[in-house]
Amino acid sequence: MVQTPSKSERMEIRKAIGNRSIPGPDAGVRPRGSDYLVAHACFDCRKSWKVSEASAATCPQCAKALHWMGRAFKAPKKSDTEQWNKVERLWMAGFRFIPNTGWRDAEPYPERLRKVAAFIESNPEHPFRVKS
Ligand SMILES: [Zn+2]
């Protein structure tokens, strides 16, 4: 049986690939509160926050712009520089952290930093990769 993406999954993909429309500050009531909080990370501070999609996301610690990670992002421990370097390299290469409930044939992200270069190389068309 072929599983089709749910509405929220489709939205997640659409946001990740960059053709989302972000409501302005006067867009009115937020649709569903905490459903719309998405992980954003600061690679300098090695921290992540759940931030509303509509807000201008800046790091509360260093005031730099936060990076939109996606709903499936799990922040590594602050002390785990290898994992932070890994997610930063993936992010910089366009990979976003989107919940995959099995409807896409997507290679899982590598566990270790040393595998990242090969992973990026062999996944130019990864479904969770933003085209630049
Ligand atoms: Zn920061």
Side-chain angles (χ1 to χ4, degrees):
M1 193 188 111
V2 178
Q3 223 185 333
T4 51
S6 72
K7 184 157 181 279
S8 66
E9 284 166 339
R10 289 197 309 270
M11 278 183 59
E12 197 83 32
I13 300 290
R14 221 176 300 139
K15 280 177 218 148
I17 62 177
N19 57 354
R20 58 181 162 160
S21 60
I22 300 171
D26 54 355
V29 196
R30 281 215 316 245
R32 258 183 299 154
S34 60
D35 279 4
Y36 281 75
L37 298 180
V38 174
H40 287 62
C42 176
F43 298 131
D44 290 339
C45 300
R46 300 201 296 273
K47 278 191 158 188
S48 84
W49 291 267
K50 298 266 185 175
V51 179
S52 158
E53 294 274 18
S55 65
T58 51
C59 175
Q61 240 168 254
C62 70
K64 287 185 187 161
L66 289 177
H67 303 289
W68 190 98
M69 303 306 284
R71 219 172 289 269
F73 180 69
K74 300 267 186 302
K77 282 192 191 136
K78 189 174 162 50
S79 58
D80 195 343
T81 47
E82 185 204 341
Q83 289 302 311
W84 274 105
N85 287 337
K86 185 192 83 179
V87 296
E88 181 173 5
R89 284 190 62 183
L90 285 169
W91 194 93
M92 292 301 177
F95 292 92
R96 300 297 180 262
F97 296 79
I98 293 168
N100 188 350
T101 49
W103 61 275
R104 287 247 181 175
D105 187 18
E107 187 179 341
Y109 291 175
E111 298 287 326
R112 306 304 302 266
L113 176 62
R114 65 173 186 273
K115 306 269 191 191
V116 167
F119 174 83
I120 291 170
E121 187 75 21
S122 60
N123 283 280
E125 301 295 329
H126 197 283
F128 301 156
R129 189 172 189 181
V130 179
K131 301 282 187 295
S132 55

